[in-house]
Amino acid sequence: MDQLERIVGLLRETVRTELLGTYLHGSAVLGGLTPASDLDVLAVTRASLEDRQRRSLLEGLLEISGLTSTVRPVELTVVVQSEVRPWRFPPTGDFLYGEWLRDEFKAGGIPQPGPMPDLALVLTMAMAGGHPLTGPRPAEILAPVPHADLVRASVASVPELLAELDADTRNVLLTLARIWTTLATGEIKPKDAAADWALARLPPEHRPVLEHARNLYLTCHYQDEAWSDELKARVHPHVEDVLSRIDILRRRQA
């Protein structure tokens, strides 16, 4: 049984009749999985999860998800349908699991409901992908997200991204490129396509780090990643340049 089947089975067993549908989003629907891509799954429910369901989901995901050459990291987002249809911003998410939260969860934390601006991006990708794992097509149970809220959600994630710049350089650079692309084009592109779009618009001195991040994304796992001292020295100037471009677009669209 592959990881997706295990995730769907876990949701069905845990959420049961309250589960309206499960959907792929992220790399799987935007451009295809690369070696280190997460398995991004959205689950839509009729009601908020009970504490015992949260614990069961968490225990199962800690076993299913991983960061090895044979086990992909899983990102599972659960949302109650009434929290996002009709749409409003910021939306409330009911449950979020990701590998970056593993240590917190193993220390006793349990995913709880809370504001989740990124749901604007998740729902948009799920609807664009139109790939149900269970249930009807996403457009039948979700509402479209206005472009203005895609902008708000994208910009809201920047401080958290910057805090992870040194620890997760590849993903931060690619995500910033995608934010810039989304604000400029209105589309959520695959990370490598967003990098291509950004590279065509960056001055030569700011291209090498994004080119390297793109190549790492397409070719290797996190444990095989390497950055030279020369490239590391260029990361922060590159980020400052991209942030200035994002800010110009944000101001225009405010």
Side-chain angles (χ1 to χ4, degrees):
M1 183 182 297
D2 69 14
Q3 278 182 281
L4 275 178
E5 290 175 333
R6 294 178 68 191
I7 296 165
V8 170
L10 176 64
L11 283 162
R12 281 175 161 159
E13 180 181 344
T14 304
V15 185
R16 297 184 181 273
T17 58
E18 295 299 298
L19 183 64
L20 290 172
T22 56
Y23 306 93
L24 284 175
H25 65 93
S27 298
V29 300
L30 290 179
L33 296 172
T34 62
S37 293
D38 290 5
L39 286 176
D40 297 306
V41 178
L42 168 70
V44 184
T45 63
R46 291 185 175 87
S48 182
L49 299 174
E50 299 175 358
D51 285 346
R52 62 175 178 78
Q53 292 173 309
R54 295 178 188 280
R55 292 189 178 90
S56 294
L57 272 183
L58 180 58
E59 289 171 5
L61 290 165
L62 286 169
E63 293 183 3
I64 295 170
S65 179
L67 283 170
T68 71
S69 59
T70 57
V71 180
R72 289 188 181 275
V74 174
E75 182 176 324
L76 173 65
T77 304
V78 180
V79 63
V80 179
Q81 184 189 36
S82 60
E83 293 292 341
V84 292
R85 184 174 178 178
W87 171 257
R88 63 269 204 190
F89 189 90
T92 296
D94 197 55
F95 179 102
L96 175 65
Y97 177 89
E99 275 300 307
W100 71 94
L101 299 168
R102 177 177 283 268
D103 290 344
E104 175 186 332
F105 294 149
K106 291 188 77 172
I110 303 290
Q112 297 294 329
M116 198 180 294
D118 273 2
L119 268 172
L121 305 171
V122 170
L123 269 59
T124 298
M125 287 187 283
M127 292 180 71
H131 193 111
L133 299 170
T134 67
R137 295 182 67 81
E140 295 179 36
I141 62 171
L142 299 172
V145 177
H147 175 70
D149 287 341
L150 283 181
V151 172
R152 294 166 73 185
S154 297
V155 172
S157 69
V158 168
E160 185 176 347
L161 284 171
L162 296 181
E164 296 295 322
L165 179 57
D166 294 332
D168 195 16
T169 305
R170 173 214 300 204
N171 277 332
V172 172
L173 294 179
L174 292 170
T175 303
L176 288 173
R178 185 151 74 181
I179 291 171
W180 177 19
T181 305
T182 299
L183 266 61
T185 69
E187 300 178 36
I188 303 176
K189 295 181 180 290
K191 287 180 178 176
D192 56 315
D196 288 339
W197 184 95
L199 286 166
R201 290 157 177 82
L202 284 169
E205 65 269 24
H206 294 315
R207 293 175 192 160
V209 291
L210 186 56
E211 289 172 342
H212 186 60
R214 179 188 182 278
N215 290 337
L216 291 173
Y217 173 75
L218 290 173
T219 62
C220 74
H221 294 277
Y222 293 111
Q223 62 266 32
D224 302 320
E225 182 172 320
W227 289 80
S228 68
D229 288 341
E230 180 184 357
L231 282 173
K232 288 179 182 177
R234 292 179 177 228
V235 168
H236 285 269
H238 166 92
V239 168
E240 290 175 7
D241 183 84
V242 172
L243 288 176
S244 69
R245 297 168 188 271
I246 290 171
D247 191 56
I248 289 170
L249 290 170
R250 178 189 63 81
R251 291 174 184 274
R252 287 177 182 169
Q253 298 178 31

